Amino acid sequence: MLALLTPFSRSTKSFRKDLLNVRLLLLFALIFTLIPIPFIKSQDPNQQPRPSASPTAAPTPLPPPTVKIDNYRAAAARIIGAALTSNRAYERLSFLTDHIGNRLSGSQSLDRAIEWAVAEMKKDGLDNVRAEKVMVPHWVRGQESLEMTAPVPRKLMMLGLGNSIATPVEGITADAVVVRTFEELDALGEKVRGKIVVYNAPFTNYGATVRYRSAGASRAARYGAVAALVRSITPVSLGTPHTGAMIYDETQPKIPAAAITIEGAELLQRMQNRGDRITLRLKMEAKFLPDAESANVVAELKGTERPDEVVVIGGHFDSWDVGQGANDDGGGCIISWEAARLLKELGLRPRRTIRVVLFTNEENGTRGGTANRETLTRPSCQNTCW
Amino acid sequence: MLALLTPFSRSTKSFRKDLLNVRLLLLFALIFTLIPIPFIKSQDPNQQPRPSASPTAAPTPLPPPTVKIDNYRAAAARIIGAALTSNRAYERLSFLTDHIGNRLSGSQSLDRAIEWAVAEMKKDGLDNVRAEKVMVPHWVRGQESLEMTAPVPRKLMMLGLGNSIATPVEGITADAVVVRTFEELDALGEKVRGKIVVYNAPFTNYGATVRYRSAGASRAARYGAVAALVRSITPVSLGTPHTGAMIYDETQPKIPAAAITIEGAELLQRMQNRGDRITLRLKMEAKFLPDAESANVVAELKGTERPDEVVVIGGHFDSWDVGQGANDDGGGCIISWEAARLLKELGLRPRRTIRVVLFTNEENGTRGGTANRETLTRPSCQNTCW
């Protein structure tokens, strides 16, 4: 949902900070917001879905356009010109990432980012700028480490997974069992009792591979494993572990979970294939503090003809704690915000209200998105499209 | 010199651990060693270099081959077949990197690697297997860190450069000045006195860009800088600093030098461009211990017709202390060694002696290469080609 109008795909997590890309994507976002979208309420409930054309049939002609595109050419040209000659979005993104940095839910830096965005949006002259309070989980990483003690002593790069519990203070020292798939784990079953399960699943696509990060710990705990390590969910690595959220199955014992690098996972795989007995020591201090106050940042550009019909655009303002949250999802936030700012600067008022939302807590709770959705279930919000 | 017959180029430092590549490159190495190379001693000293053809002239016909290639087809086919069906080289490289790991000059792991190689080469039945003693520099990294204290507190990823001196225990805290080129530094001149100079030179090619790592510290020290930071010499980064050697100009004060990431260098550049005053604290414990005993590992396959004419192939066995030395240059060592092993296994004896040398201390001293060259200046070694 949150990614509907943010062009940075959450599924690839690739790095696309290139300025030109940001600008081009911004343009698409702008143009989409300008063209009146047929809202759900205007759809005919009796309308039947069109049967899809069979592969051999002639293509069904498109229905005539319901919008006179030509009416928007002049406005689109002004927006494109302004977007391609302004550095504002890039400057704001670089200030956000350089001076405020990463923004995990509950962190002071997320609070600072929210204050900064509200103040800047007011300077931009946007309407109804506000921070809508949301209580968020407050997970903190603490110190963490992973080392191999056998067959050779060696430190391994790791990052604890978001939502993971800690290990005991002295760490968990246990033999490792490497599997490439859940099926391999299931085949081993009780043989992993007391072991650290290492998921060495090569990246295919985000959705397919992220299951090992999300659900791997509880799946291993089902068979008595004492910790889970997951090969980072990425096709590219320079010894770089990726953090991300994991979710406990409440019916299983909770065990600590961390990401290791592709190189680390392949090292363990080679050692296992070679017949080595592998012993690892995992130490993690991760824990939840009491829920913290945070907020969705909201700003609007009031519509001229139908101000109570609202198009919501946005990104999520929180990030993990180990990068800068530039691509995930500072960029999505800034271009959504910039779309409204540019329209305001150009004196272009849309027919419907455009609402920019910088959601809090997407990474480890989606409390911001949930809270925002709940505001839209009120009868007065039935005309909102997001 | 050392790279003459090792197909892993030192100038690109790219990662090419792919097994197929290793095998194909191995084949080339093998074939090159089998074809009698016209040695320097057989060249006519009165021979004039052929004038190079002008761009418009018809291409000069190649001279007739001096070797009957057909005589080697059967042997080449056996070598290719054996190389493409053997995992030995990959298994040895992975054992070297997984179980012994990185191998900085003076380290216990380099000693272990040398002992292992000598023992394995003897098992292979190679001739005259030996470790030729070489005294090497013994630089140790110690603890090190870099943090920004202004405009915002932030840790920066770094790796001290090989051969660098330490900072005082409390570190060096100073303002940073970012330059993209030596020319920018020279234009600033005395303005960098008391400052930490940051070289943010984008990668063009290794030779052109590595100058900032090799010579940047002394060039900055000339103007009174107190430390130097160098953007890592690579076109690719995931927040990954690259270590490597630096060399002090003995006529200038010695100042500590470290590599930072591309991302870190660009962050500092953006901050400087924005007008921020940047303050950094660099801490390094790097130092030289007394020279340590090491060795070049040497093994031969004695020639049948001209055993005193020698073709040297090899790689360097030492590596930096922060990786595994797989590509730089474990791979070069193992394929050189494997070339001789395969010939031995196949019962193929070359006409001239093939000598495999796993050189020590290429990374920070080239003492192994120098020592080996000195053995070749003896009159009895005039027939050696390497």
Side-chain angles (χ1 to χ4, degrees):
Chain A
M1 179 192 84
L2 305 188
L4 186 65
L5 285 172
T6 58
F8 290 101
S9 163
R10 302 264 309 130
S11 67
T12 61
K13 301 252 177 183
S14 62
F15 297 89
R16 302 184 205 162
K17 288 181 283 185
D18 178 81
L19 180 56
L20 184 61
N21 275 355
V22 169
R23 286 170 166 172
L24 290 175
L25 293 168
L26 174 61
L27 285 180
F28 291 126
L30 284 166
I31 290 165
F32 287 151
T33 60
L34 267 190
I35 296 173
I37 298 164
F39 289 167
I40 293 166
K41 70 155 196 164
S42 67
Q43 286 179 341
D44 180 356
N46 299 320
Q47 192 180 339
Q48 296 298 315
R50 260 194 307 143
S52 58
S54 80
T56 53
T60 311
L62 288 172
T66 57
V67 175
K68 289 186 180 173
I69 296 287
D70 283 345
N71 293 351
Y72 294 92
R73 285 193 196 280
R78 292 183 63 201
I79 296 166
I80 290 168
L84 286 177
T85 54
S86 169
N87 281 331
R88 185 66 67 90
Y90 188 80
E91 285 165 0
R92 278 193 162 146
L93 181 59
S94 62
F95 181 86
L96 174 68
T97 54
D98 294 351
H99 281 251
I100 297 177
N102 56 52
R103 306 172 296 281
L104 188 58
S105 288
S107 66
Q108 290 185 346
S109 52
L110 178 55
D111 293 345
R112 277 200 301 276
I114 291 168
E115 283 172 27
W116 168 76
V118 167
E120 292 289 308
M121 285 172 159
K122 286 181 178 169
K123 283 188 208 163
D124 289 344
L126 298 179
D127 305 320
N128 295 329
V129 176
R130 59 199 187 267
E132 292 184 341
K133 178 179 166 182
V134 181
M135 295 303 291
V136 294
H138 190 184
W139 181 83
V140 291
R141 178 178 302 280
Q143 296 295 311
E144 52 185 18
S145 66
L146 176 65
E147 58 182 319
M148 185 189 293
T149 57
V152 285
R154 186 162 174 164
K155 287 185 184 172
L156 294 170
M157 299 293 287
M158 60 79 78
L159 278 175
L161 294 183
N163 303 337
S164 175
I165 62 168
T167 64
V169 175
E170 69 276 15
I172 290 174
T173 303
D175 287 358
V177 176
V178 186
V179 296
R180 286 199 179 270
T181 62
F182 282 137
E183 290 67 32
E184 278 189 32
L185 174 73
D186 294 340
L188 287 169
E190 288 290 324
K191 288 180 185 164
V192 306
R193 182 165 297 280
K195 304 287 203 301
I196 296 174
V197 166
V198 180
Y199 291 101
N200 179 29
F203 184 87
T204 52
N205 64 65
Y206 192 75
T209 317
V210 79
R211 296 179 305 138
Y212 294 96
R213 191 189 77 201
S214 310
S218 290
R219 183 93 162 223
R222 183 195 300 174
Y223 300 113
V226 292
L229 299 174
V230 183
R231 171 176 166 147
S232 293
I233 312 305
T234 172
V236 180
S237 179
L238 290 174
T240 32
H242 287 212
T243 191
M246 56 84 62
I247 302 160
Y248 286 116
D249 174 349
E250 295 294 334
T251 68
Q252 301 296 336
K254 291 186 179 180
I255 61 174
I260 58 175
T261 63
I262 294 179
E263 294 89 338
E266 286 290 312
L267 168 70
L268 297 175
Q269 183 84 58
R270 284 195 301 274
M271 287 180 160
Q272 176 169 292
N273 293 353
R274 212 179 273 138
D276 295 329
R277 177 176 171 178
I278 307 163
T279 310
L280 304 176
R281 180 179 299 131
L282 176 67
K283 289 187 180 180
M284 292 172 63
E285 293 180 349
K287 63 179 174 184
F288 280 100
L289 300 177
D291 281 5
E293 185 173 325
S294 185
N296 292 329
V297 177
V298 183
E300 293 176 348
L301 201 61
K302 274 287 164 203
T304 50
E305 294 177 22
R306 302 184 188 182
D308 58 337
E309 294 186 6
V310 180
V311 176
V312 177
I313 59 176
H316 69 86
F317 217 28
D318 66 310
S319 78
W320 286 107
D321 56 334
V322 290
Q324 282 71 50
N327 178 57
D328 186 14
D329 186 26
C333 289
I334 297 291
I335 61 166
S336 304
W337 170 1
E338 180 71 356
R341 191 198 69 80
L342 274 172
L343 295 182
K344 172 77 183 175
E345 183 178 82
L346 294 171
L348 292 167
R349 279 267 165 195
R351 293 164 60 205
R352 294 172 180 81
T353 292
I354 292 176
R355 181 180 298 155
V356 179
V357 184
L358 313 184
F359 297 92
T360 192
N361 185 230
E362 187 269 358
E363 294 293 4
N364 60 338
T366 60
R367 297 263 190 99
T370 305
N372 188 261
R373 184 186 61 194
E374 284 166 3
T375 68
L376 304 180
T377 57
R378 298 175 208 142
S380 62
C381 300
Q382 291 306 303
N383 297 335
T384 300
C385 171
W386 75 100
Chain B
M1 179 192 83
L2 305 187
L4 186 65
L5 285 172
T6 59
F8 289 100
S9 163
R10 301 264 310 130
S11 66
T12 60
K13 301 249 176 184
S14 61
F15 297 89
R16 302 183 204 163
K17 288 179 282 185
D18 178 81
L19 180 56
L20 184 61
N21 275 355
V22 169
R23 285 169 166 173
L24 289 175
L25 293 168
L26 175 60
L27 285 179
F28 290 127
L30 285 165
I31 290 165
F32 287 151
T33 60
L34 268 191
I35 296 173
I37 298 164
F39 289 168
I40 293 166
K41 70 154 196 166
S42 69
Q43 286 179 341
D44 180 355
N46 299 320
Q47 191 180 339
Q48 296 298 315
R50 261 194 306 143
S52 58
S54 80
T56 53
T60 312
L62 289 172
T66 57
V67 175
K68 290 185 179 172
I69 296 288
D70 283 345
N71 293 351
Y72 294 92
R73 285 193 195 280
R78 292 184 62 202
I79 296 166
I80 290 169
L84 285 176
T85 54
S86 169
N87 281 330
R88 185 67 67 90
Y90 188 79
E91 285 166 359
R92 278 192 162 147
L93 180 59
S94 62
F95 181 86
L96 174 68
T97 54
D98 294 350
H99 281 252
I100 298 177
N102 56 52
R103 306 172 297 280
L104 188 58
S105 288
S107 66
Q108 290 185 345
S109 52
L110 179 55
D111 292 345
R112 278 200 301 276
I114 290 168
E115 284 172 26
W116 168 76
V118 167
E120 292 288 307
M121 285 172 159
K122 285 181 178 169
K123 283 188 208 163
D124 289 344
L126 298 179
D127 305 320
N128 295 329
V129 176
R130 59 198 187 268
E132 292 184 341
K133 177 179 165 181
V134 181
M135 295 303 291
V136 294
H138 190 183
W139 181 83
V140 290
R141 178 177 303 279
Q143 296 295 312
E144 53 186 18
S145 66
L146 176 64
E147 58 182 320
M148 185 189 293
T149 57
V152 285
R154 186 162 174 164
K155 286 185 185 173
L156 294 170
M157 299 293 288
M158 60 80 77
L159 278 174
L161 294 183
N163 302 338
S164 175
I165 62 168
T167 64
V169 174
E170 69 276 15
I172 290 174
T173 303
D175 287 357
V177 176
V178 186
V179 296
R180 286 200 178 269
T181 62
F182 282 137
E183 290 67 32
E184 278 189 32
L185 173 73
D186 294 341
L188 287 170
E190 288 290 325
K191 288 179 185 164
V192 306
R193 181 165 297 280
K195 304 287 203 302
I196 296 174
V197 167
V198 179
Y199 292 101
N200 180 28
F203 184 87
T204 52
N205 64 65
Y206 192 76
T209 317
V210 79
R211 297 178 304 137
Y212 294 96
R213 191 188 78 201
S214 309
S218 290
R219 182 95 162 222
R222 183 196 299 175
Y223 300 114
V226 292
L229 299 173
V230 183
R231 172 176 165 146
S232 293
I233 312 306
T234 172
V236 180
S237 179
L238 290 174
T240 32
H242 287 211
T243 192
M246 55 85 60
I247 302 159
Y248 286 116
D249 174 349
E250 295 295 334
T251 68
Q252 302 296 337
K254 291 186 179 180
I255 61 174
I260 57 175
T261 63
I262 294 179
E263 294 89 338
E266 286 290 313
L267 169 70
L268 298 175
Q269 183 84 58
R270 283 195 302 273
M271 287 180 161
Q272 176 170 292
N273 294 352
R274 213 179 271 140
D276 295 328
R277 177 176 171 178
I278 307 164
T279 310
L280 303 176
R281 180 179 299 130
L282 176 67
K283 289 187 180 181
M284 292 173 63
E285 292 180 350
K287 64 180 173 184
F288 279 100
L289 300 176
D291 280 5
E293 185 173 325
S294 185
N296 292 329
V297 177
V298 183
E300 293 176 348
L301 202 60
K302 274 287 164 203
T304 49
E305 294 177 21
R306 303 184 187 181
D308 58 336
E309 294 186 5
V310 180
V311 176
V312 177
I313 59 176
H316 69 86
F317 217 29
D318 66 309
S319 78
W320 285 107
D321 56 334
V322 290
Q324 282 71 50
N327 178 58
D328 186 14
D329 186 26
C333 289
I334 297 291
I335 61 165
S336 304
W337 170 1
E338 180 71 356
R341 191 198 69 80
L342 274 172
L343 295 182
K344 172 77 182 175
E345 183 178 81
L346 295 171
L348 291 167
R349 279 267 164 194
R351 293 164 61 207
R352 294 171 180 82
T353 292
I354 292 175
R355 180 181 299 157
V356 179
V357 184
L358 313 184
F359 297 92
T360 191
N361 185 230
E362 187 268 358
E363 294 293 4
N364 59 338
T366 60
R367 297 262 190 98
T370 305
N372 188 261
R373 184 186 61 194
E374 284 166 4
T375 68
L376 304 180
T377 57
R378 298 175 207 142
S380 62
C381 299
Q382 291 305 304
N383 297 335
T384 300
C385 172
W386 75 99

